[in-house]
Amino acid sequence: MRYNRHDYFRYSFQPYIPATFRIQLNNEEKSLSNEGQCEILDISTGGVKFVTHLDLPVRSEILALQLEFTIYQHPFEILGNVAWKNETEFGFEYGFEFGEDQKVDALITEELKHHARKKKETE
């Protein structure tokens, strides 16, 4: 089996992590929508899977998403795009890819380590 460097390790949250998102049109920070509520199901250093009741467009050239969440103590504000969408009985699940200029790999890994330690201590 070949190793694919684009396959990321995924960390699933239980319970899910609350998050908010804003839609950004035409890559203009001034044109951000109101906040939408979502929950992060899992995360990797390349993106997240989240669920919301809102029906968002997928792979739009003029639309980006700004996702805001906290894993352990560090707040993240990451710009990226919706890669895929699945309709479920609870709403919509989305695959969110971090933008190429978002350098958060090491910080996400560190915060996940702290989160996992804290979770293990409380079990």
Side-chain angles (χ1 to χ4, degrees):
M1 186 163 150
R2 291 186 54 177
Y3 169 73
N4 184 349
R5 73 176 2 178
H6 296 292
D7 287 344
Y8 298 104
F9 165 78
R10 299 202 78 70
Y11 183 90
S12 297
F13 294 105
Q14 200 61 6
Y16 303 146
I17 290 187
T20 60
F21 63 88
R22 292 173 182 262
I23 296 172
Q24 183 183 53
L25 294 174
N26 298 319
N27 292 325
E28 294 181 27
E29 213 169 300
K30 293 178 279 190
S31 63
L32 288 173
S33 72
N34 292 334
E35 283 187 352
Q37 302 297 315
C38 64
E39 291 182 304
I40 296 178
L41 309 179
D42 67 37
I43 191 167
S44 74
T45 55
V48 302
K49 179 172 28 172
F50 69 89
V51 64
T52 183
H53 66 280
L54 299 172
D55 188 1
L56 303 172
V58 178
R59 289 274 181 214
S60 173
E61 306 302 317
I62 62 167
L63 182 136
L65 224 59
Q66 179 178 299
L67 190 63
E68 298 176 22
F69 58 92
T70 301
I71 294 177
Y72 175 65
Q73 291 181 334
H74 186 276
F76 289 90
E77 187 176 291
I78 301 175
L79 198 60
N81 297 83
V82 175
W84 56 264
K85 167 174 63 174
N86 288 327
E87 190 169 357
T88 70
E89 61 182 290
F90 306 108
F92 298 91
E93 278 185 3
Y94 294 94
F96 174 79
E97 294 177 335
F98 300 154
E100 290 181 15
D101 58 341
Q102 305 293 303
K103 306 292 185 212
V104 293
D105 305 24
L107 193 51
I108 285 175
T109 303
E110 272 308 301
E111 288 298 294
L112 285 175
K113 287 178 187 176
H114 292 300
H115 175 81
R117 276 190 218 115
K118 180 182 173 190
K119 184 176 177 185
K120 194 172 186 177
E121 289 172 1
T122 59
E123 290 179 345

